[in-house]
Amino acid sequence: MAWSRLRAVVEGLNTHPRSRDALAAVAYLLFGILLLHFGVYGIWGPATAMPSSGLWSAETAFLVLLILMSALATARSTHPFLVLGVGVPLLAADLIIGSSLGVVLLFADFVYCAFRYGGDRGVRVVLAAIIASCAITTLALLLWPSVDAGAVTLAMQLALIVLIAALWGWNVRSERQRTRAAMTDDHRQATQRLRQEIAHDLHDLVANQIAVAGLNIEAARLRIAQMSEPSDEIDESLAQSALGTDEAHSQLRRLIAVLTTVDDLSPEMATVPGDGQLDTLVPVGRALVRRGAGVHEILDRAPRAAGIMMRVLRELVINAVKHGEGDVILTTKADDSGGVRVQVTNRILAPDRVTPSARAGSGIGITGAALLLNGIDGHLESAATSDGPWHATITIRKEHLV
């Protein structure tokens, strides 16, 4: 029980970086105060720049610097470069008065966090600054050989601390990037396998059934043609059914090609169907009545949204045919903002004429259509009105019609 609680606390800190940083800042502050209590300050030279007693003694200065550095540590992972930049002058002040181990450890942590949590561009800038600082310091020591040996030792030790912190942060960063790349690759492969399985299922379970339906329709047309008094209306209905199965088979092949990541799609598979194919969705005896501008004009004005528009319109027309009666009305007009509104209207079936398939409707098609329109910042409203008809309205803003 205790172990599970501890693990929950650790996971909570991983998901809340501010709390994690605050906890680390408190730990550094307490550790630094402990070091000051045992006199671990002035480690690189006597604190000659500060008085030995009084309110502003060296001990007080070291404590103030420690508190300031600990306050910066509360943002060590959320704003690593800002923390590192502000920490540099505080470290310089600490070095001037003799240096304390708590402040040096905090600065090393700032360097580590900059390499671990910072962006790629910022890491390159920090790395360049570290290299430039080392080069300038080395050049200065070579040009002025009379520099005190303590200063040389101080520079070498500080450079070693910064180097170790930077390498540590770089190593953790590299491991994280490699792990992320490996997980991304595993996810891509798993997604690809899933898409291929879906494509095979579509081919085996759906495409074959559509092909069989098309063959049966053609067989029925041949039988009707052999009758002594063939019915033109029945033949026309079967002809439209055949066109529907052909279109469904073509679109299914295109979907299977997309799922299996086939890049060389044929032009006829990649083109957007024209609005004339909407008429084939309406059975014989009913009609698609157009009002206002033609849908093809919208498709010409909105090439990026054309495919989504046609998919949504096909879904709305099919729903109107399935759940309604009489003609389906397609109205196109401009809205007040310069965009376009396309409305599909039909009369709702009487309760005694509702078919089992219409009764079993789940609304998934309309929901999917609305999600498709969200991709082009479009909007779909679908509802029955008080006077009886059902209306579905597509609204596309002006900026998507260019």
Side-chain angles (χ1 to χ4, degrees):
M1 182 65 68
W3 175 254
S4 61
R5 290 182 178 178
L6 179 61
R7 184 171 60 183
V9 171
V10 172
E11 291 177 354
L13 291 176
N14 288 333
T15 57
H16 298 84
R18 290 186 179 275
S19 299
R20 182 185 62 222
D21 290 344
L23 183 61
V26 171
Y28 275 118
L29 178 61
L30 295 178
F31 184 66
I33 292 175
L34 183 64
L35 292 176
L36 290 178
H37 176 71
F38 286 102
V40 187
Y41 56 87
I43 54 179
W44 282 323
T48 55
M50 299 297 297
S52 58
S53 61
L55 180 62
W56 295 107
S57 63
E59 292 86 348
T60 304
F62 285 129
L63 179 60
V64 170
L65 290 173
L66 177 65
I67 293 174
L68 292 177
M69 292 288 280
S70 299
L72 285 177
T74 57
R76 54 194 284 274
S77 63
T78 55
H79 301 87
F81 298 122
L82 176 62
V83 168
L84 180 61
V86 178
V88 169
L90 295 179
L91 175 69
D94 184 74
L95 292 175
I96 292 174
I97 63 174
S99 188
S100 61
L101 186 58
V103 171
V104 173
L105 290 176
L106 274 165
F107 184 79
D109 181 73
F110 294 167
V111 176
Y112 163 78
C113 290
F115 278 87
R116 177 178 178 180
Y117 300 110
D120 293 338
R121 183 178 179 182
V123 168
R124 289 194 295 268
V125 172
V126 172
L127 184 60
I130 292 176
I131 294 175
S133 299
C134 292
I136 294 173
T137 303
T138 303
L139 184 61
L141 293 176
L142 292 176
L143 293 178
W144 288 280
S146 60
V147 175
D148 183 69
V152 176
T153 303
L154 170 62
M156 293 180 63
Q157 292 178 345
L158 185 61
L160 182 61
I161 292 173
V162 172
L163 179 62
I164 292 175
L167 290 178
W168 187 16
W170 185 278
N171 182 64
V172 174
R173 179 189 187 88
S174 301
E175 289 295 331
R176 183 181 60 185
Q177 291 178 344
R178 280 195 293 267
T179 302
R180 183 181 299 170
M183 294 178 63
T184 301
D185 186 64
D186 291 342
H187 177 71
R188 180 189 61 79
Q189 293 181 8
T191 302
Q192 179 64 22
R193 287 194 297 269
L194 178 61
R195 292 173 63 178
Q196 290 177 351
E197 291 175 3
I198 295 174
H200 289 313
D201 289 343
L202 286 175
H203 180 271
D204 297 339
L205 303 178
V206 182
N208 291 339
Q209 295 297 326
I210 293 177
V212 170
L215 292 175
N216 287 327
I217 291 173
E218 290 299 326
R221 294 185 66 189
L222 291 176
R223 292 292 299 273
I224 291 175
Q226 295 173 359
M227 296 172 58
S228 57
E229 296 181 0
S231 172
D232 293 338
E233 184 175 346
I234 295 178
D235 184 69
E236 183 180 355
S237 178
L238 291 174
Q240 285 200 15
S241 300
L243 289 176
T245 55
D246 290 343
E247 174 64 19
H249 193 264
S250 174
Q251 293 297 328
L252 188 59
R253 285 177 55 219
R254 180 178 180 274
L255 179 59
I256 292 173
V258 171
L259 287 173
T260 52
T261 64
V262 175
D263 297 328
D264 53 345
L265 296 178
S266 58
E268 61 273 13
M269 293 175 66
T271 55
V272 177
D275 67 323
Q277 294 190 8
L278 296 176
D279 297 276
T280 64
L281 304 177
V282 182
V284 175
R286 301 169 67 180
L288 181 65
V289 181
R290 289 177 169 81
R291 295 176 180 175
V295 180
H296 66 277
E297 297 180 9
I298 300 176
L299 300 182
D300 292 340
R301 294 173 58 194
R304 293 181 299 175
I308 293 178
M309 275 285 297
M310 284 306 305
R311 288 183 61 180
V312 173
L313 284 176
R314 287 172 63 88
E315 177 64 31
L316 296 181
V317 171
I318 290 174
N319 269 274
V321 170
K322 182 178 179 180
H323 300 286
E325 59 184 355
D327 295 338
V328 179
I329 301 174
L330 181 66
T331 306
T332 307
K333 60 182 179 180
D335 64 5
D336 298 336
S337 63
V340 168
R341 295 170 62 91
V342 182
Q343 187 175 76
V344 177
T345 307
N346 72 284
R347 295 196 307 273
I348 301 175
L349 279 172
D352 58 341
R353 297 188 58 191
V354 177
T355 62
S357 60
R359 190 180 297 111
S362 61
I364 295 177
I366 296 296
T367 303
L371 292 175
L372 284 174
L373 287 173
N374 287 340
I376 56 172
D377 201 16
H379 184 64
L380 172 63
E381 295 180 356
S382 173
T385 56
S386 57
D387 57 349
W390 171 78
H391 298 282
T393 305
I394 302 172
T395 304
I396 300 181
R397 298 169 60 179
K398 180 179 179 181
E399 53 264 30
H400 291 284
L401 298 178
V402 294

